[in-house]
């Protein structure tokens, strides 16, 4: 009797013990690395032929076809110059492949033929246009030349001769022929000093300036409307001198001569 009982107890014990196999977890996806196979010789030949054909087609489209050729030149940014003048000076190769146009050559040609142009950006505008983005020089002073006027820009560069003086641009009178400054600094530097003085002037004063006279590097004089003169001195402390002059013109409206060569100790004369 003991045998069967023991066996049954053993069966119950085994049933109450840990399961023989764990419950299967949730289903998981695993990426399997597929074996890479080198392309066959035939595939490589086909790929090479397609690449060569595409390259040849691209070269043909850029340089031999009629699709991407220069048909128009478009200038922008002109103020005094006319668009026609800019296009004519550029002399772009019309009907040439757009990709073959040397933009640096066009830019150099424009600056050489039209000194009024300060900077120019030449760009290809696909499919058939060359764009010319022009920045013109702005006159700061004028030099008399016979019955005409030579325009001088902010860098002291003489860039154009015009028959009529632009409104609001003062005349520059170089009276330094017998000054040691002419030999020490040179005419170009004296001209730049005069331009810098004109640039330092606020608009409210600049509109009344008729002439900037340069006798030497430290003897620059302004002539204003109403027979007024300003002894400016050198170009140093230009911003401070401009503030002092503005205040004096408001405070002493009947004065005829202003000396601000030393801005900390200005002088005013009514005669």
């Amino acid at each position: 009797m003991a045998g069967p009982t023991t066996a049954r107890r053993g069966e119950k014990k085994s049933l109450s013990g840990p399961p023989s196999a764990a419950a299967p977890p949730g289903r998981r996806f695993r990426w399997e690395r597929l074996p890479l196979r080198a392309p066959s010789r035939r595939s490589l030949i086909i790929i090479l032929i397609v690449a060569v054909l595409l390259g040849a087609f691209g070269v043909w489209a850029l340089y031999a076809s009629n699709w991407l050729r220069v048909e128009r030149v478009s200038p922008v940014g002109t103020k005094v110059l006319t668009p026609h003048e800019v296009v004519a000076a550029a002399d772009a190769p019309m009907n040439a492949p757009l990709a073959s146009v040397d933009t640096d050559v066009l830019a150099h040609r424009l600056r050489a033929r039209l000194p009024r142009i300060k900077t120019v950006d030449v760009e290809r505008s696909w499919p058939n246009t060359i764009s010319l983005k022009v920045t013109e020089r702005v006159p700061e002073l004028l030099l008399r030349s016979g019955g005409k006027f030579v325009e001088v820009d902010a860098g002291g560069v003489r860039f154009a001769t015009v028959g009529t003086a632009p409104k609001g641009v003062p005349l520059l009178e170089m009276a330094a022929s017998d000054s040691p400054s002419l030999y020490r600094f040179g005419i170009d530097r004296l001209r730049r000093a005069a331009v810098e003085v004109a640039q330092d002037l606020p608009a409210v004063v600049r509109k009344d300036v008729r002439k900037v006279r340069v006798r030497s590097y430290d003897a620059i004089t302004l002539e204003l409307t109403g027979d007024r003169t300003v002894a400016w001195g050198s170009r140093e402390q230009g911003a401070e001198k401009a503030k002092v002059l503005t205040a004096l013109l408001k405070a002493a409206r009947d004065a005829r001569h202003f000396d601000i060569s030393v801005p900390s100790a200005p002088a005013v004369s009514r005669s």
Side-chain angles (χ1 to χ4, degrees):
M1 297 297 291
T5 304
T6 303
R8 285 195 294 271
R9 288 177 180 174
E11 291 176 0
K12 292 180 179 179
K13 185 176 180 179
S14 63
L15 291 174
S16 62
S20 59
R27 189 174 181 181
R28 297 180 181 178
F29 292 94
R30 295 179 59 189
W31 291 100
E32 294 185 4
R33 183 176 297 177
L34 299 176
L36 296 178
R37 293 184 299 176
S40 65
R41 183 177 180 181
R42 181 180 180 183
S43 299
L44 287 175
I45 293 175
I46 293 175
I47 293 172
L48 181 60
I49 292 174
V50 171
V52 171
L53 290 176
L54 288 175
F57 175 78
V59 172
W60 175 83
L62 287 173
Y63 295 97
S65 73
N66 293 324
W67 301 341
L68 305 174
R69 292 183 174 271
V70 180
E71 296 180 3
R72 190 165 66 96
V73 179
S74 176
V76 295
T78 57
K79 295 180 179 178
V80 178
L81 295 171
T82 66
H84 177 74
E85 287 177 309
V86 175
V87 171
D91 194 17
M94 303 303 293
N95 203 38
L98 188 59
S100 69
V101 175
D102 192 328
T103 56
D104 291 335
V105 168
L106 291 186
H108 177 76
R109 185 183 298 157
L110 278 168
R111 290 192 298 268
R113 294 181 177 180
L114 298 175
R116 184 177 293 277
I117 294 178
K118 183 178 182 180
T119 61
V120 56
D121 293 328
V122 182
E123 299 178 353
R124 298 180 183 89
S125 183
W126 302 95
N128 50 30
T129 302
I130 294 177
S131 298
L132 308 175
K133 298 180 180 179
V134 173
T135 301
E136 296 183 4
R137 298 181 187 273
V138 177
E140 296 289 341
L141 294 173
L142 299 172
L143 286 167
R144 285 190 182 275
S145 178
K148 297 184 178 181
F149 302 90
V150 178
E151 296 178 309
V152 182
D153 74 352
V157 177
R158 296 175 295 178
F159 62 90
T161 301
V162 295
T164 304
K167 186 177 180 180
V169 182
L171 286 172
L172 170 60
E173 182 179 297
M174 302 297 296
S177 57
D178 57 349
S179 171
S181 292
L182 182 61
Y183 304 100
R184 180 180 177 184
F185 299 106
I187 190 67
D188 291 338
R189 188 170 177 184
L190 292 180
R191 190 185 301 120
R192 286 197 300 272
V195 170
E196 290 174 2
V197 169
Q199 289 180 310
D200 285 332
L201 295 171
V204 67
V205 177
R206 183 182 172 89
K207 65 182 180 62
D208 290 332
V209 178
R210 294 293 176 263
K211 183 182 295 184
V212 178
R213 179 183 291 111
V214 179
R215 290 190 175 90
S216 68
Y217 188 78
D218 56 358
I220 299 175
T221 303
L222 309 180
E223 292 186 8
L224 279 63
T225 56
D227 295 327
R228 295 171 295 173
T229 60
V230 179
W232 189 274
S234 68
R235 53 166 290 273
E236 280 74 18
Q237 298 179 285
E240 185 176 352
K241 291 178 180 179
K243 292 180 181 178
V244 172
L245 178 59
T246 303
L248 291 176
L249 290 174
K250 292 180 180 179
R253 296 180 181 275
D254 58 343
R256 289 293 175 265
H257 181 72
F258 304 85
D259 189 340
I260 57 171
S261 55
V262 182
S264 58
V268 177
S269 173
R270 289 176 171 79
S271 58

